[in-house]
Amino acid sequence: MHRYILLTLVVIFSLASLSLGVISFEETTMHILVQSRLPRTISILISGMSLATAGAIMQLLTSNRFVTPTTGSTTEWAKLGLLIILIWTPQASVVTKTLFSFAFGFAGTISFLFIIKRIKLKEATLVPLVGIIYGNIIASIATYLGYQHDLIQSIQSWTQGTFALILKGRYEVLYLSIPCLIVAMLYANRFTLISMGREISISLGVRYQATLYVGLLIVSTISALVLVTVGVIPFIGLVVPNMVTLYRGENLEQNITTIALLGGLFLLACDIISRLVLHPFEIPISVTASIIGCLLFILLIVGRRRHAA
Amino acid sequence: MITINHATKRYGSRSVVNDVSLSIGEGTLTTLIGANGAGKSTLLSLVGRLLEGEGEFLLEGKRIDRYPSTELAKRLSMLRQSNHITVRLTVAELVGFGRFPYSRSRLTAADRRIVSEAIEAMDLTNLSGKYLDQLSGGERQRASIAMIIAQDTKYILLDEPLNNLDMAHSVHIMKLLRTLVDERGKTVILVLHDINFASCYSDAIIAMKDGTLVYHAPTDDVITPDALQQIYGMEIPVCEHRGRRFCLYHL
């Protein structure tokens, strides 16, 4: 039931997103729609759905509600990979850029998992903090390299995720997230089992390491795709899955469509606000997503406390 | 039949399990006893392929590591003692995961019936919609056991299943395990600390000391003052009540 409500809301917001823009629809309508508006709305939807799903998977893989690609160093590693390929061959294609940031994101997240396994933190809240510190160390390496090669402004522009530059021909690589989402649906039960620990997984016949890697592959592919086409969008991977699990538990198979739809809706709403606040100008969606996400996160913590009591 | 040949597990230079060989027949309830650090849990984890060690472990004549993981999960299940599940699932969802080896994704009607029977057998029907983090330690323990029952394997390994449980639930679970063995032909191997539960309910006892096998014999041969002296290094009087032997070690 709730899924149909969500789906209807997503459709309404998509239409609103399509009809919003600086140039009014007249004789150039179709041209604008196909060249700019449609690609923009599609890429928002795909990014929102896949970032929320990636966040949910990351939370299960680490058995920690606060670990997401942005707090688990995946994004920072992916950015470093992107920077290195830009230094090496500035004219690299979108696919090469994606491959590089994917490879760095994947390897980097494995290194993060290794670290949190080795230092055995007592407090669950310390895990994302270690992730943020670790991510910032990687980011500082990227900044250093950026200074050396005069690429600081490029780094800045990726950090500011925005859909303003999405045009036909420049976003299609994002469609690769859709197979990732399908694999995530097929593996949903296995990811939930992984979050119960290695021993229960093995006893129920799940190949623990292999499944962990499948999850990391999905998370790093999605992170890399969104980074290369849109930039960094914080909080969505944290807030959206947590809103759903608070009311419906952490059974991923049962929740994955809800999480994906809510992620799409969240990002559509953020984008519409981004475009309306300073109309005809717009503010980067990363800013809107941070402010709204942060407020929702505080509400969530309060809500969780009330639920626990 | 489970056969263990020369099982050894070393951590550095210390062997926790040292050259243990034994075999456990079908349709029996066998209890592992011994002092802390005797290697009981480690031996059980080696059989349950949660740990890798030296030696050969056979399930019905075939090496356990040669079974495809799902096939093995339909034959052998294992519950470890320290399972603090932090994931937010309801009791019914957790027990439903016991059917994972059979129905990867959607539970069939038959699966659902098995799940609700397991929940009922563990006296959790009223709590089946509750999240695990809303339950007490004992209720969570029973939910884990219900998951193992729903997995419905011929061989069941349980590491201290009575942890956190009150007397009534402990007796209930031991009786249930006995029923599983007697009526459904299951083979149950468990680690227990309460030696009187071992004495009252098991067909055979495996006693370990410092990583080695001291006894593997029918229950009444092990529950004697002499044998217990050797296993635990203390004097334990044994008395009889209604045909069962009880150990009075409390004084």
Side-chain angles (χ1 to χ4, degrees), chain A residues 133-236:
Chain A
I133 294 168
Y134 184 52
N136 276 316
I137 294 170
I138 307 307
S140 67
I141 297 172
T143 310
Y144 171 76
L145 286 175
Y147 266 115
Q148 296 284 306
H149 295 85
D150 209 14
L151 284 167
I152 284 295
Q153 288 204 317
S154 314
I155 302 178
Q156 222 76 68
S157 70
W158 311 323
T159 318
Q160 297 269 302
T162 173
F163 288 94
L165 303 171
I166 295 283
L167 286 174
K168 187 164 177 283
R170 290 179 58 176
Y171 78 103
E172 283 78 357
V173 70
L174 259 184
Y175 282 117
L176 287 174
S177 306
I178 291 172
C180 291
L181 289 178
I182 293 169
V183 177
M185 285 184 175
L186 295 175
Y187 268 74
N189 261 338
R190 269 167 262 204
F191 294 145
T192 312
L193 274 172
I194 287 269
S195 76
M196 291 192 243
R198 179 176 167 274
E199 290 167 347
I200 289 184
S201 307
I202 293 177
S203 174
L204 287 167
V206 172
R207 289 191 295 158
Y208 184 80
Q209 281 298 334
T211 310
L212 196 67
Y213 286 134
V214 171
L216 288 179
L217 278 173
I218 295 173
V219 169
S220 14
T221 310
I222 288 173
S223 303
L225 288 168
V226 176
L227 174 71
V228 169
T229 44
V230 183
V232 180
I233 304 170
F235 277 103
I236 174 168

Side-chain angles (χ1 to χ4, degrees), chain A residues 250-265:
Chain A
E250 284 183 277
N251 188 347
L252 186 63
E253 184 166 279
Q254 192 191 305
N255 293 339
I256 191 164
T257 40
T258 312
I259 290 173
L261 285 174
L262 197 62
L265 191 65

Side-chain angles (χ1 to χ4, degrees), chain B residues 81-92:
Chain B
Q81 66 185 89
S82 58
N83 65 96
H84 22 246
I85 302 167
T86 53
V87 70
R88 198 171 154 83
L89 291 177
T90 63
V91 172

Side-chain angles (χ1 to χ4, degrees), chain B residues 223-240:
Chain B
I223 307 296
T224 64
D226 288 349
L228 294 170
Q229 170 77 43
Q230 195 187 341
I231 298 163
Y232 290 102
M234 67 187 278
E235 201 180 307
I236 300 178
V238 175
C239 71
E240 283 205 19

